[in-house]
Amino acid sequence: MSKMPKRYQTFVAKYPEIGAAYESMGEAVRLAGPLDANTCALIKLGISLGAGLEGGMHSQVRKAVEAGATPDELRHAVLQATTTLGFATMMRGMSWLEDVIGAS
């Protein structure tokens, strides 16, 4: 897995029990059903975009890339927000996506 953001590393170092519980819950959720890592990351990317969570979206883009998502797949996922959340929200998401993948 990619290197965790410094802010997250600092939090887990200061609160190791909370960090372990959070990671354990995340693992339990991942194992709870049949979705693969790429699909889960794309779903969570959409949730992050809809909730306006820039850091969450950055994280899910990295996870989706690690799980095999291509830049075109990621862009297509973000485009899905247009008719549900609006053009401006989709454009915000596209900007956050490009923060991570650049102009690849």
Side-chain angles (χ1 to χ4, degrees), residues 5-101:
K6 182 73 171 158
R7 184 177 310 268
Y8 180 78
Q9 292 177 26
T10 301
F11 178 86
V12 171
K14 186 170 184 172
Y15 304 102
E17 297 85 9
I18 296 171
Y22 177 75
E23 290 179 14
S24 178
M25 182 171 53
E27 182 66 11
V29 169
R30 277 188 293 283
L31 297 174
L35 298 177
D36 63 30
N38 188 23
T39 302
C40 289
L42 292 173
I43 290 168
K44 290 174 84 174
L45 181 149
I47 293 167
S48 295
L49 173 55
L53 304 173
E54 181 177 6
M57 188 156 161
H58 287 165
S59 176
Q60 294 311 315
V61 169
R62 287 190 297 271
K63 290 177 182 179
V65 167
E66 288 175 7
T70 68
D72 285 341
E73 289 171 329
L74 292 164
R75 290 182 183 108
H76 192 208
V78 171
L79 285 172
Q80 301 309 304
T82 306
T83 55
T84 304
L85 300 171
F87 186 79
T89 299
M90 179 277 297
M91 289 298 292
R92 177 181 66 193
M94 201 63 78
S95 174
W96 292 343
L97 169 66
E98 298 298 337
D99 287 346
V100 177
I101 66 169

